[in-house]
Structures are given as structure tokens and as C-alpha cells.
Amino acid sequence: MTGNACSPGLAAALAAGTVVLDGGLSNQLESAGHDLSDALWSARLLAERPDAIAEAHLAYFLAGASVAITASYQATFEGFARRGIGRAEAARLLALSVRLAREAAGRARDAGVRRPLWVAASAGPYGAMLADGSEYRGRYGLGVAELERFHRPRLEVLAAAGPDVLALETVPDADEAVALLCAVRGLGVPAWLSYTVDGPRTRAGQPLEEAFALAAEADEVIAIGVNCCAPRDVGPAVEIAARVTGKPVVAYPNSGESWDAGARAWDGRTTFGAEQVTAWRARGARLIGGCCRVGPESIASIARALETGTA
């Protein structure tokens, strides 16, 4: 399913050129005055303020993004259960995340946006459900089979909701990547796989050459790369991903600030600028945007830079 009946599939668009992703959903929601200081993070608003999520997606489409990543990163059956939400309602909220992004795409077209628009259903790592910062460490003490059993049910629900692509994102550990690649098999929806990294290694310490190679022969994977990492780590990682897999590369780092899981706050300074993205494209990136702390103004700058070749 595509966001526009006349648009090509996302895989074809990546083969033809560069596509702009959105930025951080949480920071856009917080800038609109919404409190996300609980374990469900932005997923809480699926139940409480779905209209706010649609508005955040719309802001990014109007800024120049062609892909919206849904508010399902931290939405899991287990996480919802801790809030007293049963499986049927949790499944409804997961599907709602896709519908809200699709509705925002329709509103963007009504506002005059004529480029193809796509919806990526987010599936965060196991550590995102724990809400303790362990998505930046990996190594949860679970095996591949256990992680696959965790991921498969919500991926089935997200796939059935009709996104254009599944975003297997912020993956800290190659073992979890193996589980995710198994979990998406046979769902009938393409996926991208993106690691969170520290220099030339995953957060769990595996060399990126080995981590990226896991997806090289996975037909479901239409792009491979990095997200939720420091901007300085993107260029080298993009080059490795392109060389090892031969696939289009996805790249959407944080602003450069660091997340303090104990304080549940960001610190440091912004080091991400739109002038960096043309170099990433030259090294193989084809799906480019921002993650945490990267807002609509930055996405607008990225879109201009990629269109003109300058920031």
C-alpha cells in the first residue's frame, strides 16, 4: 500500500533518488505542550490525544518530509498491559498509529503537497519497552528466539494496518537484529533496519560490518543504516552499510545531544546541521532525516539541502 495511489513504492523511489524522512516525534509533541514523562512516552498519546500525533505528523509533511514514522516506537502489548490496557485495545492503538500518519498525509495533500508521501510503522527495540535507556546498550539477557517472540505479535498488527514500510529502528544489538529479521519474514510489508551505534560498532559492541551484513540477503529489507546516534557517526556508518549490503542506506541521527536515562532529559549541544546531509548522500544514504531533538525547521533545511545540493 502506498500513501498516494499514483506514487511509486518507496523501494522504487530510493532506487531513483533520495527521500526525506521526518524528525523526532517526541520533541514535536513536547513543543506543542504535551507531557511525555512516563514509560509509554509518545505512545501514551495514542490513547489520550491522537489528534496531537496527527498534527505532529502533518507538521513534518508540510516541512518537506516524505515519510512519517508512526508513534508506535514504544507501543507494545507488554507496555500497555502495565497501564491496564488489554491486548485488544493495545492492538487497536497500534493500528491507530498507522491510521493517524495516513490521515496526516491526506491532510498534507489537501494543503497542496504534491510529492509522494509514505507511512513507516515504527517498531523500537526491546529496550524501548523497558523505558530505562537499555536501547542504548542492548544485551538484555534474552536470546534471539525470545526476542522474536516479543517482536512478532506487534509487527503482525502493524503490518495488517497497511503501512508502506516497517521501521525496525534504534536497534542496539546484532542479536536483536537477527530476531527482527526473523519476525518480519512473511508479513508482506517491506522493512528498513537501522542500528543505534557508537563509532564503528553497535551499542552492544559488534562491528558494523558484521551487523549490517545480516540484512544483505534479506529480501524484506529495502534500506539499512543508522538512527538515534551522534551525527559524527553517520558518515562512516553509511559508507560501511552501502559497501557491505549494496542496499540504499537510511540515516537519521539525533541532534547531537545525549540522553540521560536517569534524569529522563537531554544534555549537551546540537551538532547536527543540514549541511552534513549532502555528504551522507554522496556516501550512499538515500533515506535521510532526523531522530530525537530534530524538528520541522531542521527537516525543512534537509529537504532544501538535498534538493539543491547545498544547505
Side-chain angles (χ1 to χ4, degrees):
M1 181 184 294
T2 57
N4 182 327
C6 298
S7 71
L10 182 57
L14 295 177
T18 311
V19 175
V20 179
L21 275 170
D22 62 5
L25 185 61
S26 60
N27 49 265
Q28 182 61 13
L29 290 167
E30 287 174 332
S31 71
H34 300 286
D35 179 10
L36 304 183
S37 59
D38 69 15
L40 284 177
W41 204 30
S42 57
R44 178 173 57 82
L45 298 188
L46 288 170
E48 297 178 5
R49 287 295 306 274
D51 58 311
I53 292 172
E55 288 293 333
H57 289 317
L58 178 61
Y60 282 116
F61 280 137
L62 296 179
S66 292
V67 181
I69 302 174
T70 63
S72 51
Y73 172 81
Q74 216 150 357
T76 64
F77 289 109
E78 294 82 357
F80 281 132
R82 289 201 295 263
R83 296 289 293 271
I85 297 172
R87 288 187 74 82
E89 177 63 4
R92 186 190 73 82
L93 293 173
L94 282 163
L96 177 63
S97 72
V98 175
R99 188 166 77 246
L100 292 170
R102 191 73 73 195
E103 289 174 359
R107 290 172 62 187
R109 286 192 288 272
D110 290 343
V113 174
R114 293 292 172 259
R115 65 187 179 276
L117 302 176
W118 294 278
V119 172
S122 172
Y126 181 84
M129 181 270 294
L130 299 177
D132 61 358
S134 59
E135 67 259 53
Y136 297 117
R137 300 189 299 272
R139 307 280 86 181
Y140 318 113
L142 301 179
V144 169
E146 293 169 293
L147 289 169
E148 182 183 357
R149 285 194 294 271
F150 167 78
H151 285 295
R152 177 77 184 198
R154 68 172 173 153
L155 286 169
E156 289 175 340
V157 172
L158 289 170
D164 299 296
V165 63
L166 297 166
L168 313 177
E169 57 176 355
T170 323
V171 180
D173 192 323
D175 287 350
E176 188 162 23
V178 172
L180 283 161
L181 292 172
C182 293
V184 298
R185 202 167 292 150
L187 294 181
V189 178
W192 81 61
L193 174 66
S194 56
Y195 291 94
T196 179
V197 303
D198 185 6
R201 295 180 177 271
T202 68
R203 297 280 186 171
Q206 299 108 340
L208 289 185
E209 286 86 352
E210 297 174 10
F212 290 138
L214 296 172
E217 303 303 323
D219 292 339
E220 294 86 359
V221 176
I222 60 171
I224 177 79
V226 295
N227 79 289
C228 212
C229 61
R232 67 176 180 273
D233 290 333
V234 172
V238 165
E239 196 167 86
I240 294 168
R243 171 172 51 80
V244 169
T245 70
K247 294 177 182 282
V249 180
V250 57
Y252 52 118
N254 295 334
S255 65
E257 297 160 272
S258 299
W259 174 247
D260 183 332
R264 295 191 65 82
W266 293 90
D267 58 32
R269 63 184 184 86
T270 297
T271 59
F272 180 26
E275 70 279 356
Q276 297 164 291
V277 301
T278 52
W280 298 343
R281 178 171 60 183
R283 298 173 91 162
R286 294 294 176 267
L287 189 55
I288 302 175
C291 201
C292 301
R293 311 284 285 179
V294 178
E297 289 186 7
S298 294
I299 296 303
S301 297
I302 289 171
R304 288 193 298 270
L306 293 173
E307 182 177 357
T308 65
T310 65

